[in-house]
Amino acid sequence: LFTLLIAKIAATSLTIGSGGSGGIFAPSLFLGAMTGGFMGTVIHSWFPAYTASPGAYALVTMGAVVAAATHAPITAIIMIFELTQTITIMPPLMAACVVSTLVTTFLNRDSIYTMKLRRRGIDLFEEETHNILKSMRVHDIIDRTPEILRESDNFQTVVERALNSE
């Protein structure tokens, strides 16, 4: 498992670093599963009577890595629960996903998705408003000579004035 983990890290780094389209989400699932499987195998061999199976470690770590990479712990929790349909995995899964998200958010405020946007010059966290109405003042845009319609004006007159007004 450790060899697969190192090979996948190298392959994903080379693919993404060279500008290829290898994806990030699926490799994060794989890296989490291999890391958890490796740790679970080691820990279970030391304390077989007190620990869960290596597969449980793989699932929890898979969720934690996805939650950390995407900054979306609830998505990772629901995804792993849907895969397993096992309620007993929920407490360690929830703890791992929340802690991993908090740590990565503290280290880097961008997720794998917002990092790509930031490289393109789009900052989702910037405070600048894009609401143009907030930057306008009424006295700058008020029409001091509005079109006046009379009660007796017919529809054709109303349409002509609407089309010809500024």
Side-chain angles (χ1 to χ4, degrees), residues 11 22-23 29 37 47 56 67-68 74 87 116 120 124 139 154 161 164:
L29 287 171
F47 309 105
I74 294 175
I87 197 74
K116 289 180 180 180
R120 293 181 183 162
L124 295 178
H139 65 81
N154 61 15
R161 287 202 182 153
N164 295 330

Side-chain angles (χ1 to χ4, degrees), residues 77-148:
I77 292 166
I78 291 172
M79 182 183 68
I80 299 299
F81 178 71
E82 287 292 324
L83 285 171
T84 63
Q85 294 290 312
T86 306
I87 197 74
T88 56
I89 201 166
M90 291 301 286
L93 177 63
M94 290 167 68
C97 289
V98 169
V99 168
S100 68
T101 303
L102 289 174
V103 169
T104 57
T105 304
F106 176 74
L107 295 175
N108 187 0
R109 74 178 195 175
D110 289 321
S111 71
I112 57 175
Y113 302 115
T114 58
M115 193 176 300
K116 289 180 180 180
L117 292 173
R118 185 180 301 278
R119 287 183 188 147
R120 293 181 183 162
I122 301 169
D123 185 6
L124 295 178
F125 303 108
E126 77 181 23
E127 294 295 323
E128 181 181 319
T129 181
H130 296 288
N131 186 348
I132 194 165
L133 294 177
K134 286 187 177 182
S135 64
M136 298 175 118
R137 300 280 181 236
V138 173
H139 65 81
D140 294 334
I141 59 171
I142 192 168
D143 185 4
R144 304 255 182 229
T145 57
E147 288 289 331
I148 299 173

